[in-house]
Amino acid sequence: MNIKALPYVTLLGFMFGSSMVFSRFGVGQFEPTTYIGIRMIISSLMALSVYRIASGRRLPRDGELWKRAGLLGIFGTAVPMTCVIISLQHLSSGVSAILLSTGPAITIILAHFTLPDELLSRRKVFGVGLALGGAMLLAISGEDGLPDAQSTASTGFLLVTVAMIFSSIMIIYARKRLTGYDAYDVGSIRIFTTALVVLPLSLLTVGFDLSAVTGSGYLALLYSAIMGTFLGLLLSFYNIKRFGATPAVMTTYIIPIVAGIGGVLVLGEEITLTMMFGMGIIVSGIALLQEYNSPATWMRRYPHRGSY
């Protein structure tokens, strides 16, 4: 990897990882769907501002793009993000981030059955087995990374698993239906659609009670919206455009580290030997998969993996 890319990779990993920490703090004061809806409204307004002020960039008018990217927004962002944010009520930000890093392994399994040029090989099977084995170790051990004993850790594991399955399915969908479209347009429509789906859902199911939210809760919301969604999206595109795909792949390894350490320092979460061992197994498996499929090939095939 180009050494010049290291600060940008580290910054992006910090933005995404710290956003998970702030999100876990936020769901202690917001209803999860309310939190996501407001967060995506803020991000949507910022995305619209780029179309307003950037020369040569206009809000897309292609109806087919809106339909396809809208589906990606609903099932590839709204559903997974809701599951992940709710999981933060049951798991630490560090554990959630570690589990989410197994997403590429699930994508490869699904791609084997849906894409003719993505068949599993022995090496892929071994890499997938390592990654999922590390996740299973955390699940079996019941690690939640929280300082107090929790009886609902299994709910958190289930929610993260559902999030990864939906995300992986929609990554394959994006490869089939969205290749060739402008990445910023696709990303922006994902944000718009998520806001339009989640916020009304929140109003219908849990209302819009913000009475328990403090100033620090609003700051956590703003941070996640600006740093973890909008600026994270822009920096991710910038890194790929300037430095190629490898830095984007390396960010995957930084996020759990930042989320784990940040959770300990800010929220009093725990990092155990089991968590470290499980993460090591997962990283080894994903590294093996990405060694087999070069980073450039990986990002070309799966350019629409989202953040949380």
Side-chain angles (χ1 to χ4, degrees), residues 99 102 129-142 157 282:
L99 292 172
T102 64
L130 277 178
L132 297 184
M136 288 181 63
L137 172 65
L138 292 177
I140 293 172
S141 68
F157 285 110
I282 292 170

Side-chain angles (χ1 to χ4, degrees), residues 111-295:
H112 171 77
F113 296 101
T114 56
L115 300 175
D117 57 342
E118 293 288 346
L119 298 179
L120 285 169
S121 64
R122 290 183 180 179
R123 189 167 184 175
K124 283 186 178 181
V125 169
F126 185 63
V128 167
L130 277 178
L132 297 184
M136 288 181 63
L137 172 65
L138 292 177
I140 293 172
S141 68
E143 285 286 353
D144 56 22
L146 301 176
D148 300 320
Q150 300 288 316
S151 60
T152 56
S154 58
T155 302
F157 285 110
L158 178 61
L159 287 166
V160 173
T161 300
V162 171
M164 290 190 295
I165 291 173
F166 268 91
S167 180
S168 296
I169 290 173
M170 295 312 294
I171 286 169
I172 295 170
Y173 165 83
R175 185 188 167 193
K176 288 185 172 183
R177 304 297 183 190
L178 288 163
T179 301
Y181 287 107
D182 180 81
Y184 184 80
D185 288 342
V186 173
S188 296
I189 293 173
R190 289 182 75 175
I191 293 174
F192 302 154
T193 306
T194 302
L196 291 173
V197 169
V198 178
L199 192 55
L201 175 65
S202 180
L203 291 172
L204 290 172
T205 57
V206 299
F208 199 70
D209 183 7
L210 303 180
S211 60
V213 183
T214 64
S216 56
Y218 285 115
L219 287 176
L221 173 67
L222 284 172
Y223 183 92
S224 297
I226 297 171
M227 300 295 286
T229 302
F230 177 69
L231 292 182
L233 176 73
L234 291 181
L235 183 57
S236 178
F237 292 159
Y238 175 83
N239 286 353
I240 294 172
K241 183 176 180 180
R242 179 176 177 183
F243 302 111
T246 300
V249 172
M250 296 305 295
T251 302
T252 304
Y253 303 133
I254 298 176
I255 295 172
I257 297 173
V258 173
I261 296 175
V264 171
L265 296 178
V266 178
L267 303 176
E269 297 175 353
E270 297 178 341
I271 297 179
T272 66
L273 289 176
T274 303
M275 289 172 57
M276 296 175 64
F277 186 60
M279 180 179 173
I281 296 174
I282 292 170
V283 168
S284 298
I286 300 303
L288 185 63
L289 292 173
Q290 290 171 353
E291 181 181 350
Y292 184 83
N293 292 307
S294 70

